[in-house]
């Protein structure tokens, strides 16, 4: 039981996809301008991650090893298409804000990475826990980066202005600010990890 | 038992090298550079008023506080007395317009020391000149505050000579003497060429800086602005009519060339490398001024060449004799 639980919790801190595995940085850098974007991206990626993990884990004995990557991509692309169509139907504004990065979840290296490194070797139950944990870790990391960037770069949080008269530092809304924030957070993660271990 | 008649003659005493000892240290050099920058600060305060003095002091104090705080937080020796953080804060403040709000030098200094220097491991480890990192950060964050200049002796907003040139309207009444003395809009520490040259002369005489970077820097900027900086385009039979003296005397060229491009940490080690570095800085400055989006390019030119410094060092390494 404890081992099963750790499949879930490892994605949040110990093997956090963004800060430790350093996967999926492209959408992280691109969409982490506002917290709303981050939550939307995180949920979308979590759904794809979970569903793809389940299907791939179920099909692991059928998929021939030599063509496994194309097979994974087909499975992942199916779920990304579902996410994209659902997002267009129910939340067109978010879809516009995330733009090309929704279809690009297909090539998000977290999803393919978990399929290749975990789901194709694991039971369905463990694949579900892994998908949920990784998705949650990715979402939390995104929200953290988004919150810092939105507050410093636009002076708001969830589109609410917090401090009156605060002159936002525009660089944090730009790509250079994203690299800066992620770099500092990765450094902080390493410091905390080394202190513990 | 030593022999009774010890050798008195120094020429016969054999000792280990190095034999010549000079009383120099990093912190001594840093404080000397600070000293050489004092005239420019006095000139800036005299020209733009007391507000610029507060900007300078806030820049210095917040640089020192940030350095000490980070060194305490990472359990390293607090080394704010070595003058390097002081110098960074001072140079950053010299690169600000005189009438900025008081939080701007603080934000710049904190960023310059924390991100520009301590993240890399402190003095000697940084890739970029910290003061210029701070300036670039402020330019990217608050471009409007960083490009609103007040004129000399009054608080009326006035474009810098270079900004006016960029917009195609030269300030008619500005003379070379005004530029030389600093009677025009600009950053606190960059306007008075006279005061800056006094400080630079002091550094030259004491041997803290060599001619290689500043002179090639200034010469290249002058040459390129002379060739391409004319009012008519080259193809139209004109060219070679650029106002090179105007370009040399305005903006931050003198401050940058003598005091920031020569930073020991971020410039090449060999003479040959320093010449390449200076030419690169000069060319980039001229390119940004003539064709770029910004009126002034000294700080970005130096930052870009800072990035190129490791590769310049690699290709200009002196050959070992006989190798």
């Amino acid at each position: 039981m404890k081992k099963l639980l750790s499949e879930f919790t490892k994605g949040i801190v110990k093997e956090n996809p963004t800060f430790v595995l350093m996967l999926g940085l492209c959408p992280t850098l691109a969409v982490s301008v506002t917290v709303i974007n981050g939550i939307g991206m995180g949920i979308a990626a979590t759904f794809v991650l979970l569903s793809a993990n389940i299907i791939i884990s179920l099909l692991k004995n059928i998929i021939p090893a030599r063509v496994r990557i194309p097979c994974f991509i087909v499975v992942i692309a199916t779920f990304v298409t579902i996410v994209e169509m659902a997002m267009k139907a129910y939340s067109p504004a978010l879809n516009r804000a995330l733009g090309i990065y929704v279809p690009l979840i297909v090539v998000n290296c977290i999803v393919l990475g978990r399929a290749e490194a975990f789901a194709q070797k694991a039971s369905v139950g463990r694949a579900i826990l892994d998908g949920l944990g990784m998705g949650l870790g990715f979402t939390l990391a995104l929200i953290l980066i988004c919150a810092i960037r939105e507050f410093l770069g636009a002076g708001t949080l969830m589109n609410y202005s917090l401090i009156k008269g605060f002159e936002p530092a525009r660089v944090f809304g730009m790509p250079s600010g994203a690299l800066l924030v992620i770099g500092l957070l990765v450094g902080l993660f390493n410091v905390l990890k080394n202190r513990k271990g | 038992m030593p022999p009774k008649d010890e050798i008195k003659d120094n020429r016969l005493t054999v000792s280990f090298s190095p034999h010549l000892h000079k009383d120099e240290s990093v912190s001594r050099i840093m404080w000397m550079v600070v000293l050489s920058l004092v005239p420019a600060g006095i000139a800036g305060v005299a020209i733009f008023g007391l507000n610029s003095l507060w900007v300078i002091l806030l820049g210095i104090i917040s640089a020192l506080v940030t350095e000490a705080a980070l060194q305490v937080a990472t359990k390293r020796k607090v080394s704010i007395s070595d003058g390097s953080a002081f110098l960074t804060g001072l140079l950053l403040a010299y690169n600000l317009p005189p009438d900025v709000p008081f939080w701007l030098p603080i934000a710049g200094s904190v960023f310059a020391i924390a991100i520009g220097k301590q993240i890399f491991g402190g003095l000697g480890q940084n890739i970029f000149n910290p003061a210029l990192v701070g300036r670039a950060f402020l330019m990217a964050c608050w471009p409007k505050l960083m490009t609103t200049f007040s004129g000399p002796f009054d608080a009326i907003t006035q474009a810098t000579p270079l900004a006016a040139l960029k917009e195609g309207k030269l300030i008619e009444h500005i003379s070379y003497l005004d530029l030389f003395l600093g009677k025009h809009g600009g950053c606190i520490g960059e306007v008075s060429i006279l005061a800056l040259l006094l400080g630079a002369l002091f550094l030259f005489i004491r041997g803290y800086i060599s001619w290689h970077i500043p002179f090639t820097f200034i010469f290249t900027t002058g040459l390129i602005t002379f060739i391409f900086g004319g009012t008519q385009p080259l193809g139209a039979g004109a060219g070679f009519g650029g106002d090179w003296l105007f370009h040399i005397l305005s903006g931050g060229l003198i401050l940058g060339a003598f005091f920031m491009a020569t930073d020991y940490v971020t410039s090449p080690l060999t003479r040959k490398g320093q010449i390449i570095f200076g030419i690169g800085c000069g060319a980039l400055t001229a390119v940004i001024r003539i064709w770029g989006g910004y009126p002034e390019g000294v700080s970005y030119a130096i930052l870009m060449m800072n990035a190129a410094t490791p590769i310049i060092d690699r290709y200009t390494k002196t050959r070992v004799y006989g190798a």
Side-chain angles (χ1 to χ4, degrees), chain B residues 216-230 234 239-244 247-248 279-291:
Chain B
T216 48
F217 190 167
I218 294 166
F219 178 79
T220 311
T221 304
L223 185 70
I224 296 179
T225 49
F226 170 66
I227 297 175
F228 297 104
L234 259 187
F240 292 98
D243 195 345
W244 56 273
H247 273 282
I248 288 177
I279 292 173
C281 285
L284 285 169
T285 301
V287 165
I288 295 173
R289 279 188 185 180
I290 299 173
W291 295 287

Side-chain angles (χ1 to χ4, degrees), chain A residues 167-172 174 176 180 184 195, chain B residues 75 103 111 115 119 137 140-143 145:
Chain A
E167 288 263 4
R170 275 184 22 191
V171 75
F172 288 102
M174 296 191 259
S176 45
L180 204 62
L184 289 175
R195 194 166 290 173
Chain B
K75 301 196 180 75
W103 53 265
F111 192 88
I115 307 292
I119 285 283
F137 170 73
C141 285
W142 300 284
L145 293 172

Side-chain angles (χ1 to χ4, degrees), chain B residues 160 162-164 166 288-289 292-297:
Chain B
T160 64
L162 280 171
K166 193 101 211 174
I288 295 173
R289 279 188 185 180
Y294 287 111
E296 171 62 311

Side-chain angles (χ1 to χ4, degrees), chain B residues 102-114:
Chain B
F102 286 144
W103 53 265
L104 202 71
I106 299 177
S109 277
V110 169
F111 192 88
I113 295 289

Side-chain angles (χ1 to χ4, degrees), chain A residues 43-60:
Chain A
I43 291 174
T46 306
F47 171 74
V48 174
L49 201 52
L50 177 65
S51 320
N53 262 13
I54 294 173
I55 298 295
I56 287 163
S57 158
L58 284 172
L59 296 178
K60 62 174 177 285

